Coordinates of all heavy atoms in Angstrom, one line a residue:
F229 N 92.2 131.9 110.8 CA 93.4 131.9 109.9 C 93.5 133.2 109.2 O 92.6 134.0 109.2 CB 93.4 130.7 109.0 CG 92.2 130.5 108.1 CD1 92.2 131.2 106.9 CD2 91.1 129.7 108.5 CE1 91.1 131.0 106.1 CE2 90.0 129.6 107.6 CZ 90.0 130.2 106.4
L230 N 94.7 133.4 108.6 CA 94.9 134.6 107.9 C 94.3 134.7 106.5 O 93.7 135.8 106.1 CB 96.5 134.8 107.7 CG 97.3 135.1 109.0 CD1 98.7 135.2 108.6 CD2 96.8 136.3 109.7
A231 N 94.4 133.7 105.7 CA 93.9 133.7 104.4 C 93.7 132.3 103.8 O 94.3 131.3 104.3 CB 94.9 134.4 103.5
V232 N 92.8 132.2 102.8 CA 92.7 131.0 102.1 C 92.6 131.3 100.6 O 92.1 132.3 100.2 CB 91.4 130.2 102.5 CG1 90.1 131.0 102.2 CG2 91.3 128.9 101.8
Y233 N 93.3 130.5 99.8 CA 93.4 130.7 98.4 C 92.9 129.5 97.7 O 93.3 128.4 98.0 CB 94.8 131.0 97.9 CG 95.4 132.3 98.4 CD1 96.2 132.3 99.6 CD2 95.0 133.5 97.9 CE1 96.7 133.5 100.1 CE2 95.5 134.7 98.4 CZ 96.4 134.7 99.5 OH 96.8 135.8 100.1
A234 N 92.0 129.6 96.8 CA 91.5 128.5 96.0 C 92.0 128.7 94.5 O 91.9 129.8 94.0 CB 90.0 128.4 95.9
S235 N 92.6 127.6 94.0 CA 93.2 127.7 92.6 C 92.7 126.5 91.8 O 92.6 125.4 92.4 CB 94.7 127.7 92.7 OG 95.2 128.8 93.4
Q236 N 92.5 126.7 90.6 CA 92.1 125.7 89.7 C 93.2 125.3 88.7 O 93.8 126.2 88.1 CB 90.8 126.2 88.9 CG 90.2 125.1 88.0 CD 89.0 125.7 87.3 OE1 89.0 126.9 86.9 NE2 88.0 124.9 87.2
D237 N 93.4 124.1 88.5 CA 94.4 123.6 87.6 C 93.9 123.9 86.1 O 92.9 123.4 85.8 CB 94.6 122.1 87.8 CG 95.8 121.5 87.0 OD1 96.0 121.9 85.8 OD2 96.6 120.7 87.6
K238 N 94.7 124.6 85.4 CA 94.3 125.0 84.0 C 94.2 123.7 83.1 O 93.3 123.7 82.3 CB 95.3 126.0 83.4 CG 95.2 127.3 84.0 CD 96.1 128.3 83.3 CE 96.0 129.7 83.8 NZ 96.8 130.7 83.1
A239 N 95.1 122.8 83.3 CA 95.0 121.6 82.4 C 94.0 120.6 82.9 O 93.5 119.8 82.1 CB 96.4 120.9 82.5
Q240 N 93.6 120.6 84.2 CA 92.6 119.7 84.7 C 91.6 120.6 85.5 O 91.7 120.7 86.8 CB 93.2 118.7 85.6 CG 94.2 117.8 84.8 CD 94.9 116.8 85.8 OE1 94.3 116.3 86.7 NE2 96.1 116.5 85.5
P241 N 90.6 121.2 84.9 CA 89.7 122.1 85.6 C 88.9 121.5 86.8 O 88.5 122.2 87.6 CB 88.7 122.5 84.5 CG 89.4 122.2 83.2 CD 90.3 121.1 83.5
N242 N 88.8 120.2 86.8 CA 88.2 119.6 88.0 C 89.1 119.5 89.2 O 88.6 119.0 90.2 CB 87.6 118.2 87.6 CG 86.5 118.2 86.7 OD1 85.8 119.2 86.6 ND2 86.2 117.2 85.9
Q243 N 90.3 119.8 89.0 CA 91.3 119.8 90.1 C 91.4 121.2 90.8 O 91.8 122.1 90.1 CB 92.6 119.3 89.6 CG 93.5 118.9 90.8 CD 94.6 117.9 90.3 OE1 94.6 117.4 89.2 NE2 95.4 117.5 91.2
I244 N 91.1 121.2 92.0 CA 91.1 122.5 92.8 C 92.1 122.3 93.9 O 92.2 121.3 94.6 CB 89.7 122.8 93.4 CG1 88.6 122.8 92.3 CG2 89.7 124.1 94.1 CD1 88.7 123.8 91.3
Y245 N 92.9 123.4 94.1 CA 93.8 123.4 95.3 C 93.4 124.5 96.2 O 93.1 125.6 95.8 CB 95.2 123.7 94.8 CG 95.8 122.7 93.8 CD1 95.6 122.7 92.5 CD2 96.5 121.6 94.4 CE1 96.1 121.8 91.6 CE2 97.0 120.6 93.5 CZ 96.8 120.7 92.2 OH 97.3 119.8 91.3
L246 N 93.4 124.2 97.5 CA 93.1 125.2 98.6 C 94.4 125.3 99.4 O 95.0 124.4 99.8 CB 92.0 124.7 99.5 CG 90.6 124.6 98.9 CD1 89.6 124.0 99.9 CD2 90.1 125.9 98.3
F247 N 94.8 126.6 99.5 CA 95.9 126.9 100.3 C 95.4 127.8 101.5 O 94.9 128.9 101.3 CB 97.0 127.7 99.5 CG 97.5 127.0 98.3 CD1 96.9 127.1 97.1 CD2 98.6 126.2 98.4 CE1 97.3 126.5 96.0 CE2 99.0 125.5 97.3 CZ 98.4 125.6 96.1
E248 N 95.6 127.3 102.7 CA 95.2 128.0 103.9 C 96.4 128.5 104.6 O 97.4 127.7 104.8 CB 94.3 127.1 104.8 CG 93.1 126.6 104.2 CD 92.3 125.7 105.0 OE1 92.9 124.8 105.6 OE2 91.1 125.8 105.1
I249 N 96.4 129.7 105.0 CA 97.5 130.3 105.7 C 97.1 130.7 107.2 O 96.2 131.4 107.4 CB 98.0 131.6 105.0 CG1 98.5 131.2 103.6 CG2 99.2 132.2 105.8 CD1 98.8 132.4 102.7
F250 N 97.8 130.1 108.1 CA 97.6 130.3 109.5 C 98.7 131.0 110.2 O 99.9 131.0 109.7 CB 97.3 128.9 110.2 CG 96.1 128.2 109.8 CD1 96.1 127.4 108.7 CD2 94.9 128.4 110.4 CE1 94.9 126.8 108.2 CE2 93.7 127.8 110.0 CZ 93.7 127.0 108.9
T251 N 98.5 131.6 111.3 CA 99.6 132.3 112.0 C 100.5 131.3 112.7 O 101.7 131.7 113.0 CB 99.0 133.2 113.1 OG1 98.1 132.5 113.9 CG2 98.2 134.4 112.5
S252 N 100.0 130.1 113.0 CA 100.9 129.1 113.6 C 100.3 127.7 113.5 O 99.1 127.6 113.1 CB 101.0 129.4 115.1 OG 99.8 129.2 115.8
K253 N 101.0 126.7 113.8 CA 100.5 125.3 113.8 C 99.4 125.2 114.8 O 98.4 124.5 114.5 CB 101.7 124.3 114.1 CG 101.2 122.9 114.3 CD 101.1 122.1 113.0 CE 101.0 120.6 113.2 NZ 99.7 120.1 113.3
Q254 N 99.6 125.8 115.9 CA 98.6 125.8 117.0 C 97.2 126.4 116.5 O 96.2 125.9 116.7 CB 99.1 126.5 118.2 CG 98.1 126.5 119.4 CD 98.6 127.2 120.6 OE1 99.6 127.9 120.5 NE2 97.9 127.1 121.7
A255 N 97.3 127.5 115.7 CA 96.1 128.1 115.2 C 95.4 127.2 114.2 O 94.2 127.1 114.2 CB 96.5 129.5 114.6
M256 N 96.2 126.5 113.4 CA 95.7 125.6 112.4 C 95.0 124.4 113.1 O 93.9 124.1 112.8 CB 96.8 125.1 111.5 CG 96.2 124.1 110.4 SD 97.5 123.5 109.3 CE 98.3 122.3 110.5
D257 N 95.6 123.9 114.1 CA 95.1 122.7 114.8 C 93.8 123.1 115.5 O 92.8 122.4 115.5 CB 96.1 122.2 115.9 CG 97.2 121.5 115.2 OD1 97.2 121.1 114.0 OD2 98.3 121.3 115.9
S258 N 93.7 124.3 116.1 CA 92.6 124.8 116.8 C 91.4 125.0 115.8 O 90.3 124.6 116.1 CB 92.9 126.2 117.5 OG 91.7 126.7 118.0
Y259 N 91.7 125.6 114.6 CA 90.7 125.8 113.6 C 90.1 124.4 113.1 O 88.9 124.3 113.0 CB 91.2 126.6 112.5 CG 90.3 126.7 111.3 CD1 89.2 127.7 111.4 CD2 90.4 126.0 110.2 CE1 88.3 127.8 110.3 CE2 89.5 126.1 109.1 CZ 88.5 127.0 109.2 OH 87.6 127.1 108.2
Q260 N 91.0 123.5 112.9 CA 90.6 122.2 112.3 C 89.9 121.3 113.3 O 89.2 120.4 113.0 CB 91.8 121.5 111.7 CG 92.3 122.2 110.5 CD 93.5 121.4 109.8 OE1 94.0 120.4 110.3 NE2 93.9 121.9 108.7
A261 N 90.0 121.7 114.6 CA 89.2 120.9 115.6 C 87.8 121.4 115.8 O 87.0 120.7 116.5 CB 90.0 121.0 117.0
K262 N 87.5 122.5 115.2 CA 86.1 123.1 115.4 C 85.1 122.2 114.7 O 85.3 121.7 113.6 CB 86.1 124.5 114.9 CG 86.9 125.5 115.7 CD 86.8 126.9 115.2 CE 87.7 127.8 116.0 NZ 87.4 129.2 115.8
P263 N 83.9 122.1 115.3 CA 82.8 121.3 114.7 C 82.5 121.7 113.3 O 82.2 120.9 112.5 CB 81.6 121.5 115.7 CG 82.3 121.9 117.0 CD 83.5 122.7 116.6
R264 N 82.5 123.0 113.0 CA 82.2 123.5 111.7 C 83.2 123.0 110.6 O 82.8 122.5 109.5 CB 82.2 125.0 111.6 CG 81.8 125.6 110.3 CD 81.8 127.1 110.3 NE 83.1 127.6 110.6 CZ 83.3 128.9 111.1 NH1 82.3 129.7 111.3 NH2 84.5 129.3 111.3
F265 N 84.5 123.0 111.0 CA 85.5 122.4 110.0 C 85.3 120.9 109.9 O 85.4 120.4 108.8 CB 86.9 122.8 110.5 CG 87.9 122.2 109.6 CD1 88.2 122.9 108.4 CD2 88.6 121.0 109.8 CE1 89.2 122.4 107.5 CE2 89.5 120.5 109.0 CZ 89.8 121.2 107.8
Q266 N 85.1 120.2 111.0 CA 84.9 118.8 111.0 C 83.7 118.4 110.1 O 83.7 117.4 109.4 CB 84.7 118.2 112.4 CG 86.0 118.3 113.2 CD 87.2 117.5 112.6 OE1 87.0 116.4 112.2 NE2 88.3 118.2 112.5
A267 N 82.6 119.2 110.2 CA 81.4 118.9 109.3 C 81.8 119.1 107.9 O 81.4 118.3 107.0 CB 80.3 119.8 109.8
F268 N 82.5 120.2 107.6 CA 82.9 120.5 106.2 C 83.8 119.3 105.7 O 83.6 118.8 104.6 CB 83.7 121.8 106.1 CG 84.5 121.9 104.9 CD1 83.9 122.2 103.7 CD2 85.9 121.7 104.9 CE1 84.7 122.3 102.5 CE2 86.7 121.8 103.7 CZ 86.0 122.1 102.5
L269 N 84.7 118.9 106.5 CA 85.7 117.8 106.1 C 84.9 116.5 105.8 O 85.2 115.8 104.8 CB 86.7 117.6 107.2 CG 88.0 116.9 106.8 CD1 88.7 117.6 105.6 CD2 88.9 116.8 108.0
K270 N 83.9 116.2 106.6 CA 83.1 115.0 106.5 C 82.4 115.0 105.1 O 82.4 114.0 104.4 CB 82.1 114.9 107.6 CG 81.4 113.6 107.6 CD 80.5 113.5 108.8 CE 79.7 112.2 108.8 NZ 78.8 112.0 109.9
R271 N 81.9 116.2 104.7 CA 81.2 116.3 103.4 C 82.2 116.3 102.3 O 81.9 115.8 101.2 CB 80.4 117.6 103.4 CG 79.1 117.6 104.3 CD 78.2 118.7 104.0 NE 78.9 120.0 103.9 CZ 79.2 120.9 104.9 NH1 78.8 120.6 106.1 NH2 79.7 122.0 104.6
A272 N 83.4 116.9 102.5 CA 84.3 117.1 101.4 C 85.2 115.9 101.1 O 85.6 115.7 99.9 CB 85.2 118.3 101.7
M273 N 85.5 115.1 102.1 CA 86.4 114.0 101.9 C 86.0 113.0 100.8 O 86.9 112.6 100.0 CB 86.5 113.2 103.2 CG 87.4 113.8 104.3 SD 89.1 114.3 103.7 CE 89.8 112.6 103.5
P274 N 84.8 112.7 100.5 CA 84.5 111.8 99.4 C 84.9 112.4 98.0 O 85.0 111.7 97.1 CB 83.0 111.6 99.5 CG 82.6 111.9 100.9 CD 83.6 112.9 101.4
M275 N 85.0 113.8 98.0 CA 85.3 114.4 96.7 C 86.8 114.7 96.6 O 87.2 115.1 95.5 CB 84.6 115.8 96.7 CG 83.0 115.6 96.6 SD 82.2 117.2 96.5 CE 82.3 117.8 98.3
L276 N 87.6 114.4 97.6 CA 89.0 114.7 97.6 C 89.8 113.6 97.0 O 89.6 112.5 97.5 CB 89.5 115.1 99.0 CG 88.8 116.3 99.6 CD1 89.4 116.5 101.0 CD2 89.0 117.6 98.8
Q277 N 90.7 113.9 96.1 CA 91.7 112.9 95.7 C 92.7 112.7 96.7 O 93.2 111.6 96.9 CB 92.3 113.4 94.4 CG 93.3 112.4 93.8 CD 93.9 113.0 92.5 OE1 93.5 114.0 92.0 NE2 94.8 112.2 91.9
A278 N 93.1 113.8 97.4 CA 94.1 113.8 98.4 C 94.0 115.0 99.3 O 93.5 116.0 98.9 CB 95.5 113.8 97.8
R279 N 94.4 114.8 100.5 CA 94.4 115.9 101.5 C 95.8 115.8 102.2 O 96.1 114.9 102.8 CB 93.3 115.7 102.5 CG 93.3 116.9 103.5 CD 92.1 116.8 104.5 NE 92.1 117.9 105.4 CZ 92.5 117.8 106.7 NH1 92.8 116.6 107.2 NH2 92.5 118.9 107.4
E280 N 96.6 116.9 101.9 CA 97.9 116.9 102.4 C 98.2 118.1 103.2 O 97.9 119.2 102.8 CB 98.9 116.8 101.2 CG 100.3 116.7 101.6 CD 101.2 116.6 100.4 OE1 100.7 116.6 99.2 OE2 102.4 116.7 100.5
E281 N 98.8 117.9 104.4 CA 99.2 119.0 105.2 C 100.7 119.3 105.0 O 101.5 118.4 105.2 CB 98.9 118.7 106.7 CG 99.3 119.8 107.7 CD 99.0 119.4 109.1 OE1 97.8 119.1 109.4 OE2 99.9 119.3 109.9
V282 N 101.0 120.5 104.6 CA 102.4 120.8 104.4 C 102.7 122.0 105.3 O 102.1 123.1 105.1 CB 102.7 121.2 103.0 CG1 104.2 121.6 102.8 CG2 102.4 120.0 102.1
L283 N 103.7 121.9 106.2 CA 104.0 123.0 107.1 C 105.2 123.7 106.5 O 106.2 123.1 106.1 CB 104.4 122.5 108.5 CG 103.3 121.8 109.2 CD1 103.7 121.2 110.6 CD2 102.1 122.7 109.4
L284 N 105.1 125.0 106.3 CA 106.1 125.8 105.7 C 106.6 126.9 106.6 O 105.9 127.4 107.5 CB 105.6 126.5 104.4 CG 104.9 125.6 103.4 CD1 104.2 126.4 102.3 CD2 106.0 124.7 102.8
T285 N 107.9 127.3 106.4 CA 108.4 128.4 107.1 C 108.4 129.6 106.2 O 109.0 129.6 105.2 CB 109.9 128.1 107.5 OG1 109.9 127.0 108.3 CG2 110.5 129.3 108.3
P286 N 107.6 130.7 106.6 CA 107.5 131.8 105.8 C 108.8 132.6 105.7 O 109.5 132.8 106.7 CB 106.4 132.7 106.4 CG 106.3 132.2 107.8 CD 106.8 130.8 107.8
L287 N 109.2 132.9 104.4 CA 110.4 133.7 104.2 C 110.0 135.2 104.1 O 110.7 136.1 104.5 CB 111.1 133.2 103.0 CG 111.6 131.8 103.0 CD1 112.2 131.4 101.7 CD2 112.6 131.6 104.2
S288 N 108.8 135.4 103.5 CA 108.4 136.8 103.3 C 106.9 136.7 102.9 O 106.4 135.8 102.2 CB 109.2 137.4 102.1 OG 108.7 138.7 101.8
F289 N 106.2 137.7 103.4 CA 104.8 137.8 103.1 C 104.5 139.3 102.7 O 104.6 140.2 103.5 CB 103.9 137.4 104.3 CG 102.4 137.4 103.9 CD1 101.8 136.4 103.2 CD2 101.6 138.5 104.3 CE1 100.5 136.4 102.9 CE2 100.3 138.5 104.0 CZ 99.7 137.5 103.3
Q290 N 104.3 139.5 101.4 CA 104.1 140.9 100.9 C 103.0 140.9 99.9 O 102.7 139.9 99.3 CB 105.4 141.3 100.3 CG 106.6 141.4 101.2 CD 107.9 141.9 100.6 OE1 107.8 142.4 99.5 NE2 109.0 141.6 101.2
T291 N 102.5 142.1 99.7 CA 101.5 142.3 98.7 C 102.3 142.5 97.3 O 103.5 142.8 97.3 CB 100.7 143.6 98.9 OG1 101.6 144.7 98.9 CG2 100.0 143.5 100.3
Q292 N 101.6 142.3 96.3 CA 102.2 142.5 94.9 C 102.7 143.9 94.7 O 103.8 144.0 94.2 CB 101.2 142.2 93.8 CG 101.7 142.2 92.5 CD 100.7 141.9 91.4 OE1 99.5 141.7 91.7 NE2 101.2 141.7 90.2
S293 N 102.0 144.9 95.2 CA 102.5 146.2 95.1 C 103.8 146.4 95.8 O 104.7 147.1 95.3 CB 101.5 147.3 95.5 OG 101.1 147.1 96.8
N294 N 104.0 145.9 97.0 CA 105.2 146.0 97.7 C 106.4 145.3 97.0 O 107.5 145.8 97.0 CB 105.1 145.3 99.1 CG 104.3 146.2 100.1 OD1 104.0 147.4 99.8 ND2 103.8 145.6 101.2
L295 N 106.1 144.1 96.4 CA 107.1 143.4 95.6 C 107.6 144.2 94.4 O 108.7 144.3 94.1 CB 106.6 142.1 95.2 CG 106.6 141.0 96.3 CD1 105.9 139.7 95.7 CD2 107.9 140.6 96.8
L296 N 106.6 144.9 93.8 CA 106.9 145.7 92.6 C 107.7 146.9 93.0 O 108.7 147.3 92.3 CB 105.6 146.1 91.9 CG 104.9 145.0 91.2 CD1 103.5 145.5 90.7 CD2 105.6 144.3 90.1
E297 N 107.5 147.5 94.1 CA 108.2 148.6 94.6 C 109.7 148.2 94.9 O 110.6 149.0 94.6 CB 107.6 149.2 95.9 CG 106.4 150.0 95.6 CD 106.6 151.3 94.8 OE1 107.6 152.0 95.0 OE2 105.8 151.5 93.9
Q298 N 109.9 147.1 95.4 CA 111.3 146.6 95.7 C 112.1 146.4 94.4 O 113.3 146.4 94.5 CB 111.2 145.3 96.5 CG 110.7 145.6 97.9 CD 110.7 144.3 98.7 OE1 111.1 143.2 98.3 NE2 110.2 144.4 99.9
T299 N 111.5 146.1 93.3 CA 112.2 145.8 92.1 C 112.6 147.0 91.3 O 113.2 146.9 90.3 CB 111.4 144.8 91.2 OG1 110.2 145.4 90.9 CG2 111.2 143.5 91.9
K300 N 112.1 148.2 91.7 CA 112.4 149.4 91.0 C 113.8 149.9 91.3 O 114.4 149.6 92.2 CB 111.4 150.5 91.4 CG 110.0 150.3 90.8 CD 109.1 151.4 91.2 CE 107.8 151.2 90.6 NZ 106.9 152.3 90.9

């Protein structure tokens, strides 16, 4: 996958959000089928309040510095 971001809810510090970015749905499915991911998921599921897959269409992927340059 391209990237993973972990974020903590400021109001609820025990609530963590993971955002994984893949190049395609096929890449995500392939990654999640791997034994290593399945082992992780088996250990993590008891700690998860929810696990939700949301497929998004990227509009733009830029670094912060690129975004700042565009606003000048």
